[in-house]
Amino acid sequence: MGSRTILRYVKHRITQHPDTEVTFEAECLHCKWTATPSTDGAAVDVECMSHTGRSGHAGFRRICTSFAMVVRDE
């Protein structure tokens, strides 16, 4: 008789790494200008609006970076 395999499924979830914060960044689509990275998204938005006021450039790539970890859902 052959051997048997027992499968056990464990539920997991993904969560923000507890020792990190989300970092917001932005870069102008028309020149090489970049905003200062910050954990305050509104501050980055204000920098973008100031850049638009000075340069007339209205397009930006906004980047939100976070670090996550997968943990058992117990």
Side-chain angles (χ1 to χ4, degrees), residues 1-5:
M1 187 167 195
S3 64
R4 300 176 107 198
T5 301

Side-chain angles (χ1 to χ4, degrees), residues 42-53:
V44 172
D45 290 346
V46 167
E47 283 194 54
C48 291
M49 289 183 277
S50 295
H51 180 70
T52 297

Side-chain angles (χ1 to χ4, degrees), residues 41-72:
V44 172
D45 290 346
V46 167
E47 283 194 54
C48 291
M49 289 183 277
S50 295
H51 180 70
T52 297
R54 288 189 309 273
S55 67
H57 300 162
F60 299 90
R61 178 175 158 214
R62 297 195 305 174
I63 306 145
C64 301
T65 304
S66 68
F67 294 92
M69 56 191 296
V70 174
V71 295
R72 284 189 174 188

Side-chain angles (χ1 to χ4, degrees), residues 1-33:
M1 187 167 195
S3 64
R4 300 176 107 198
T5 301
I6 298 174
L7 300 175
R8 291 187 175 90
Y9 295 94
V10 178
K11 289 187 178 186
H12 289 81
R13 63 185 170 85
I14 191 163
T15 185
Q16 173 95 12
H17 191 287
D19 298 330
T20 64
E21 295 185 48
V22 175
T23 302
F24 299 90
E25 302 174 64
E27 56 190 40
C28 181
L29 296 177
H30 306 282
C31 70
K32 297 192 182 282
W33 177 89

